[in-house]
Amino acid sequence: VQLQASGGGLVQAGGSLRLSCAASARTFSSYAVGWFRQAPGKEREFVAAINWFGGNTYYADSVKGRFTISRDNAKKTVNLQMNSLKPEDTAVYYCAAGVGRVEFETGYGFWGQGTLVTVSS
């Protein structure tokens, strides 16, 4: 599975961005998809995930109520709508696909290249 993340950019605090993760494989609908982020000088951390059919979603406490993950298996895309952005959301965001535990990097076997989100104060 090849993944392409897009939608990053520069936004002011309080603003919104929508990230997209596009997949190449016809088997995309078999995988859970997660978003992780890595801020400068920090380890990569879990942000959100959605199971293979979209019935279950998972969020890090730091983004609950502000971010929404969704998927369209027909279009082979997963979106991350990010609202009320904060400077601490600044990071490179990665999408990943896998069949393991969605909160952990080890649950994913396929990773996209990352897209940079910068939130100015």
Side-chain angles (χ1 to χ4, degrees), residues 12-14 21 23 40-41 50 54 56-57 60 70 72 77-78 80 82 84-85 109 119 121:
Q12 289 188 330
C21 180
I50 189 166
N56 293 320
T57 56
S70 62
D72 185 334
T77 59
V78 171
L80 184 68
M82 307 187 297
S84 302
L85 283 161
V119 184
S121 57

Side-chain angles (χ1 to χ4, degrees), residues 3 13 18 26 42 102 113:
L3 303 172
R18 189 175 79 162
R26 285 179 290 178
K42 295 187 177 181
V102 296
Q113 86 291 358

Side-chain angles (χ1 to χ4, degrees), residues 43-116:
E43 293 187 352
R44 191 155 56 184
E45 64 176 3
F46 170 74
V47 176
I50 189 166
N51 71 341
W52 68 274
F53 65 93
N56 293 320
T57 56
Y58 310 83
Y59 297 95
D61 288 343
S62 59
V63 306
K64 278 181 183 176
R66 300 188 298 122
F67 291 12
T68 302
I69 190 170
S70 62
R71 72 186 295 162
D72 185 334
N73 284 337
K75 295 182 178 179
K76 294 185 289 184
T77 59
V78 171
N79 293 319
L80 184 68
Q81 179 65 42
M82 307 187 297
N83 298 329
S84 302
L85 283 161
K86 305 175 181 179
E88 51 264 44
D89 294 317
T90 295
V92 176
Y93 284 71
Y94 300 88
C95 63
V99 296
R101 290 283 302 272
V102 296
E103 316 96 296
F104 303 106
E105 292 186 47
T106 53
Y108 299 89
F110 306 96
W111 291 81
Q113 86 291 358
T115 184
L116 177 62

Side-chain angles (χ1 to χ4, degrees), residues 1 10 12 14 19-20 25 30 37 43 48-49 54 65 70 92 100 107 109 111 118:
V1 179
L10 174 64
Q12 289 188 330
L19 304 184
S20 291
S30 302
R37 66 186 181 186
E43 293 187 352
S70 62
V92 176
W111 291 81
T118 304

